[in-house]
Amino acid sequence: MAVPISLGILYGIWAPFIQRHGSPLNALQITLGVVSGLAVAVLVFALMRLPKTMPPELRAMAFGVVAGVSVGFLHSLTYASVLRSSGIGLTVGVASAVATFYYFHTRED
């Protein structure tokens, strides 16, 4: 429970501070932080509860998708182009999928 909650809190704090661009914090940015932090926490909690009988390739892909989408969304809050945000999200997603695939295969029971 500690990992999803910690990641959700960090993500929920990070998102509005990227969005505000030096201006004062407002209610919409707080809402963005709460909703995005909750979404990340729920997704990570669900991923960590995936059954161990599931193929490691599919589990690794799920972790990669969540990591890539969350980092791509954070980068899109900087008013970067959609193409650049998608590219960064895809890069992080592929790297996360490869790392978790390696982790799952080296620690199989």
Side-chain angles (χ1 to χ4, degrees):
M1 286 293 286
V3 172
I5 291 172
S6 299
L7 286 175
I9 289 171
L10 287 173
Y11 197 88
I13 291 171
W14 195 357
F17 282 103
I18 290 174
Q19 176 69 35
R20 63 181 226 165
H21 297 287
S23 63
L25 196 60
N26 60 31
L28 288 175
Q29 292 163 347
I30 292 172
T31 305
L32 169 75
V34 169
V35 170
S36 61
L38 235 131
V40 166
V42 167
L43 286 172
V44 171
F45 180 77
L47 281 177
M48 293 183 81
R49 298 290 181 209
L50 284 176
K52 303 265 188 218
T53 58
M54 195 174 193
E57 297 84 7
L58 192 57
R59 288 176 66 203
M61 187 182 304
F63 273 98
V65 166
V66 169
V69 167
S70 59
V71 169
F73 174 70
L74 280 179
H75 190 69
S76 73
L77 293 177
T78 64
Y79 297 126
S81 70
V82 174
L83 187 59
R84 183 173 176 158
S85 298
S86 300
I88 288 176
L90 183 65
T91 303
V92 169
V94 168
S96 297
V98 168
T100 53
F101 179 74
Y102 174 78
Y103 176 82
F104 293 146
H105 268 286
T106 56
R107 286 165 179 76
E108 278 185 349
D109 295 335

